[in-house]
Structure formats: structure tokens, C-alpha cells
Amino acid sequence: MTAAADLPVIAVVGATATGKSGLALDLAGRLDGEVVNADAMQLYRGMDIGTAKLSLTERRGVPHHQLDVLEVTEEASVAAYQQAARADLAAVRGRGRVPILVGGSGLYVRAALDRLEIPPTDPEVRGRLEAQAADLGTDAMYQLLADADPAAARRIQPANVRRIVRALEVIELTGRPFSASMPTREFVEPTTMIGLAVDRPILDARVDARVEQMWRAGLRDEVERLLARGLRGGFTASRAIGYAQAIAVIDGRLTEAAAIAETARATRRYARRQESWFRPDPRVRWVDATATVGVDQVIDLVS
């Protein structure tokens, strides 16, 4: 077998419910690797059931990094994640082991792996733009972006108000187009990116089954515990898929059946966005996850 020091960073990416965590564990077991998380919601302590976070037992003794590093009241930062994740990848390599990045949060994957300069942020500017978005609406904010930076507008979904606000913030702070700071597809160090692909009808069925299991496993109870820790005050965590719906149940705004159905719909939409993020990247080596994904097959791709 190729020595760990000779292997590239391995990234396992793809949509939710494609089996990324399991494959990462298999690779870590065979290649003497450690896992670095690239799922933005798994950064939060206590957000376990609704993010499909592996328990300590399920991790098979494989060290995992970038899990449980934020409180639910904190806002996840791509810039902070980039610095911490790259430090973890370097530390794993320094121990003579193989770093395995795994997750489906596309921007976080690229922040860890690609040449990406993250522009500054300013809470006052961000707050003013968010207030403007609440007043004018998402369509008007998207038009402002399209006028200021057409290239960025073409690459941001018109309904994604957070990305629109962020783009306008960067333009105001730097005086440069937001598109100038978007990542290029260039790894900072040798990397093999493995993508797990699942046909849409099968993936939808997997998502539905996973959502049902999450609620049976106690998602509502988990959310009630997190509310006691300030979940409502967490701008990012409180809006996570499954958690927002569970809060609506607790508040009496949704029945549990309606919340389960809405969680499944939102997760299916999210899976499509993940596919649209990773699919155009020519560096991804796709593996059919509906077949038995042989770890030897993936190791051959890596080697």
C-alpha cells in the first residue's frame, strides 16, 4: 500500500444521504487517516440528530476534527473555519496520517481546499444591509447586486438573501466586485476529491427515510434542550433544516406530521443545491453510491 505521506488530501463530497461519512470512515481505517468535518451544521455542539452527526461509538475510534466547535448562539464563519480546518489538515499530515475532509457544505469544502481569499466583514454594514433586505425584499436586493456586479449575480441564486447581502457587503467594504473574490478551482495542496452520486429518485427516498428516523430518534427533544441553551438567538443554527421545523412544532405553528413533511421537502431541495454546487467541478471523481462502494476502488482513484 502507498505510504500515507505519499497520498494527497482526500475529500469526500456530495449531497446529503449519499453515504459520505461511512466512506470516510472506511478510508480512514485503511489509510491510517483522520477526518476533518466540512458540514457547516455539524460545527455546532448539541446539533447531533438533525445533522446526522456520527456518535463517538459510530466513529470507530477514528479522530474527527471540526465537530462541536461552536455554541448554537454563535454564527458560523467561513473565514474562521478556513483557518481552523487548514490547521487541522496540516496537523493530521504532521502526525504522518492521511487527512480526509468530508462534508456537503460546498463553500466550506472550497475554503479548506482551494485558493480562496475571504473578504472582510463588518457587523454594522451587514446589519444595515439585512435591515434593507427586510424592508425592500429579496428581489430588490438581487437587482441592486445585478446592477453593481452582474458576474456575481449570475452565480448567486436570486432567493439566497444571505449570499446577496454578503456580496453587497464585500462590494461596499472593498470597493471591488464580489465576483473578484470568488474561489478558483485550484487546490492549495495535492488533493483527490471523491464525489458520491445517487440517482434522484433513490436519493429522495433516502432523504425521506432519514428525516423520519431523525424524528423517531428524538429530534424534538434535542431541539428543546438546545432552546434552553439559547438556540432561538442563533441566527444560523435556529434556521437549520429540521431545527426550524422542530421549533415551529414546539411553538404550535406546525403539527409534527407537517414538520416532518416540510423537513423532507427542504432537505430534498438542499440536496439539489449540493448537486448543483459539486457537479460542475471537473476535479470531482464520481462514484456510484447506489452500488457497493468498494474502498479499494476509491483507494485506486486516490493513488
Side-chain angles (χ1 to χ4, degrees):
M1 183 183 296
T2 305
D6 298 327
L7 291 173
V9 173
I10 302 170
V12 181
V13 303
T16 188
T18 52
K20 298 185 295 295
S21 295
L23 177 58
L25 284 175
D26 290 342
L27 289 170
R30 287 286 300 276
L31 299 175
D32 191 25
E34 298 183 23
V35 171
V36 178
N37 166 58
D39 181 318
M41 293 302 106
Q42 290 194 10
L43 296 171
Y44 288 102
R45 297 184 190 96
M47 292 178 65
D48 302 330
I49 296 172
T51 66
K53 187 185 298 175
L54 296 179
S55 67
L56 284 173
T57 302
E58 291 170 330
R59 294 173 203 172
R60 306 180 202 167
V62 173
H64 280 62
H65 310 279
Q66 293 306 303
L67 293 177
D68 303 324
V69 296
L70 295 176
E71 295 294 341
V72 292
T73 52
E74 297 179 274
E75 185 169 357
S77 160
V78 176
Y81 172 80
Q82 181 184 60
Q83 182 176 2
R86 289 187 177 181
D88 285 331
L89 293 170
V92 173
R93 183 68 81 197
R95 289 188 286 273
R97 310 188 80 187
V98 178
I100 302 172
L101 188 83
V102 57
S105 297
L107 186 56
Y108 283 70
V109 170
R110 298 195 69 177
L113 301 178
D114 284 350
R115 298 193 183 280
L116 169 60
E117 176 189 350
I118 299 177
T121 186
D122 185 302
E124 289 187 10
V125 174
R126 174 77 63 90
R128 173 166 47 78
L129 289 169
E130 288 173 346
Q132 187 177 359
D135 182 43
L136 299 179
T138 304
D139 290 345
M141 297 299 286
Y142 184 76
Q143 187 58 52
L144 289 174
L145 176 61
D147 293 340
D149 188 351
R154 286 193 295 271
R155 294 173 63 179
I156 295 175
Q157 294 181 344
N160 192 337
V161 67
R162 292 193 67 194
R163 291 284 287 160
I164 294 168
V165 165
R166 173 59 174 155
L168 291 169
E169 177 192 23
V170 170
I171 292 168
E172 180 170 336
L173 290 175
T174 66
R176 300 167 56 211
F178 180 67
S179 53
S181 64
M182 288 183 171
T184 59
R185 290 183 175 134
E186 182 182 0
F187 292 130
V188 294
E189 64 176 298
T191 300
T192 297
M193 194 180 302
I194 304 296
L196 295 185
V198 176
D199 289 341
R200 186 66 55 75
I202 297 174
L203 183 60
D204 285 350
R206 286 188 181 187
V207 165
D208 291 348
R210 173 179 281 192
V211 169
E212 290 276 357
Q213 173 57 30
M214 286 175 176
W215 284 82
R216 286 197 302 270
L219 178 58
R220 174 175 176 161
D221 292 340
E222 177 172 282
V223 171
E224 287 180 334
R225 291 192 296 272
L226 292 173
L227 287 171
R229 290 164 48 184
L231 177 62
R232 287 185 195 276
F235 183 85
T236 303
S238 66
R239 290 163 173 76
I241 297 173
Y243 293 85
Q245 288 78 13
I247 291 172
V249 171
I250 292 166
D251 290 347
R253 292 181 284 113
L254 282 180
T255 65
E256 186 165 301
I260 292 171
E262 172 55 31
T263 301
R265 282 194 296 271
T267 306
R268 291 195 296 268
R269 289 194 297 269
Y270 177 57
R272 284 157 177 71
R273 292 197 300 272
Q274 290 174 301
E275 290 175 333
S276 68
W277 178 283
F278 291 113
R279 183 59 69 178
D281 192 332
R283 301 171 300 173
V284 179
R285 303 183 182 189
W286 291 98
V287 174
D288 181 4
T290 57
T292 300
V293 181
V295 70
D296 288 328
Q297 171 193 1
V298 176
I299 290 172
D300 286 342
L301 291 175
V302 172
S303 300

